[in-house]
Amino acid sequence: MPKIKAEKKSRIHNEVAKQGIMFNKDFGQHILKNPAIITAILDKAAVQATDVVLEVGPGTGNLTIQLLSRCKKVIACEIDPRLVAELQKRVQGTQYQPKLQILIGDVLKSDLPFFDLCVANVPYQISSPLVFKLLLHRPQFRCAVLMFQREFAQRLVAKPGDKLYCRLSINTQLLARVDMLMKVGKNNFRPPPKVESNVVRIEPIRPPPPICYPEWDALTRIAFTRKNKTLSAAFKQGGVTAALEANYKRHCSLNNIAIDPNFDIKSKIETILKTVEADQKRARTMDIDDFISLLHAFNSEGIHFA
């Protein structure tokens, strides 16, 4: 290892060791240390004194303590028992102790209780599944103000035609309004991550759109597998046609609908795509209304995706 890199690594190690905790990269542990950034996040979240706030990955509690000073209760989800102990030690004997509830374990596998807000410096490797766990949570929360890796945040807000527009973009924007709030440099964390970060506000749409989300999710999965190809090409894949044919036959069986002996799933799919003028469209340029029209067109012909 070159001398300069070795010295840099040694400085990071010593800095972390001063806290008595070696942070676990597998859990994405990068502690937000800049109090000005923490204050800005809380201000943008508009935390109220009556709020129950969910925090994912509280770490050593820098954000947690500030939340506790502003809200009614904090529900902190932490997977690392060492950090749980650190957080408990930090509030022990203070006015904040009765206001803090800690859920120990994997937040993605936990049943979340009611909360008004979610405010968190999210471990980057769980960003996508966490967003959808939150958006599908009921009852709906008011909003979430979350720290993400910059490119992930840019994907969340990307629009049709943008380079980063993808299935994550449209699936999130179906369920929520998403706004970029602020940039956060890597040196605001300990230890510093390799990437820059952004804070994003996610506000669930109320009421949620009257769409079967598993069907929507399966449709966009097909379309965005080849987002630069036409939908006609995307739907010609063998696995896609086989799955849709099986779903169609199941639908007909459950509804006592006779199937034409000359039925051909590929022809039916192509006819539906042409009916809504979507056969030559590409997923990367399609908006939510385009996909809603497409889903309704398939469903009205008895073809379902989930």
Side-chain angles (χ1 to χ4, degrees):
M1 179 184 292
K3 184 177 180 181
I4 295 177
K5 287 187 177 180
E7 289 177 354
K8 184 176 179 182
K9 186 174 182 180
S10 178
R11 286 200 304 273
I12 294 173
H13 176 86
N14 292 336
E15 185 178 3
V16 172
K18 287 178 183 177
Q19 292 199 2
I21 297 172
M22 288 299 296
F23 294 125
N24 189 331
K25 290 184 179 179
D26 291 339
F27 293 155
Q29 291 174 347
H30 298 280
I31 307 303
L32 184 59
K33 67 179 183 178
N34 187 334
I37 299 294
I38 292 172
T39 299
I41 290 173
L42 297 183
D43 289 345
K44 291 180 183 299
V47 181
Q48 300 173 14
T50 55
D51 283 336
V52 174
V53 181
L54 176 72
E55 184 186 7
V56 178
T60 55
N62 293 344
L63 177 59
T64 317
I65 297 299
Q66 296 302 317
L67 278 170
L68 288 167
S69 70
R70 298 194 186 201
C71 70
K72 177 182 177 182
K73 179 181 180 181
V74 172
I75 302 168
C77 299
E78 179 54 62
I79 196 171
D80 189 337
R82 301 172 308 149
L83 295 181
V84 170
E86 185 73 16
L87 190 53
Q88 288 173 329
K89 187 191 309 179
R90 194 162 178 179
V91 300
Q92 189 171 13
T94 71
Q95 59 182 321
Y96 299 139
Q97 186 172 357
K99 297 171 66 176
L100 176 63
Q101 176 186 350
I102 301 178
L103 299 180
I104 306 173
D106 186 343
V107 66
L108 300 179
K109 298 177 182 178
S110 303
D111 292 327
L112 298 177
F114 167 83
F115 59 94
D116 298 292
L117 295 175
C118 181
V119 182
N121 170 25
V122 178
Y124 292 158
Q125 70 270 32
I126 66 167
S127 296
S128 184
L130 178 64
V131 166
F132 292 105
K133 182 178 180 69
L134 294 176
L135 289 177
L136 297 175
H137 178 72
R138 296 294 180 270
Q140 287 180 302
F141 55 94
R142 188 167 76 246
C143 83
V145 175
L146 307 172
M147 179 99 68
F148 293 119
Q149 177 180 337
R150 181 160 299 164
E151 184 173 312
F152 181 86
Q154 290 170 336
R155 291 180 186 278
L156 286 177
V157 302
K159 300 300 181 185
D162 292 351
K163 183 179 179 181
L164 291 177
Y165 184 66
C166 61
R167 186 165 153 259
L168 171 69
S169 316
I170 196 166
N171 283 8
T172 304
Q173 292 167 32
L174 172 75
L175 302 173
R177 285 175 285 272
V178 190
D179 297 297
M180 198 82 80
L181 296 182
M182 57 190 287
K183 296 179 179 179
V184 181
K186 63 182 72 173
N187 291 328
N188 291 288
F189 300 88
R190 182 171 52 239
K194 295 180 179 179
V195 295
E196 304 292 347
S197 304
N198 278 62
V199 177
V200 171
R201 175 186 172 90
I202 299 176
E203 183 180 348
I205 293 172
R206 296 169 179 267
I211 290 174
C212 174
Y213 185 75
E215 283 226 53
W216 170 276
D217 185 52
L219 169 61
T220 58
R221 187 185 300 275
I222 293 170
F224 278 95
T225 296
R226 299 180 177 182
K227 72 174 185 177
N228 294 317
K229 300 288 186 180
T230 63
L231 289 190
S232 181
F235 276 86
K236 283 179 180 175
Q237 300 173 79
V240 173
T241 55
L244 294 185
E245 182 172 21
N247 288 352
Y248 177 72
K249 290 181 176 179
R250 187 179 303 113
H251 167 79
C252 291
S253 175
L254 292 173
N255 293 277
N256 296 316
I257 299 172
I259 300 176
D260 190 317
N262 298 317
F263 172 76
D264 177 59
I265 188 65
K266 291 183 179 179
S267 296
K268 191 170 185 68
I269 290 172
E270 193 66 26
T271 299
I272 294 171
L273 291 174
K274 288 182 178 178
T275 300
V276 291
E277 299 180 344
D279 55 316
Q280 296 305 308
K281 287 184 177 179
R282 291 166 169 77
R284 63 180 173 81
T285 64
M286 294 174 65
D287 61 19
I288 288 173
D289 289 341
D290 291 330
F291 276 103
I292 289 176
S293 296
L294 186 60
L295 181 59
H296 285 166
F298 274 108
N299 287 173
S300 65
E301 291 295 325
I303 294 182
H304 295 270
F305 295 86

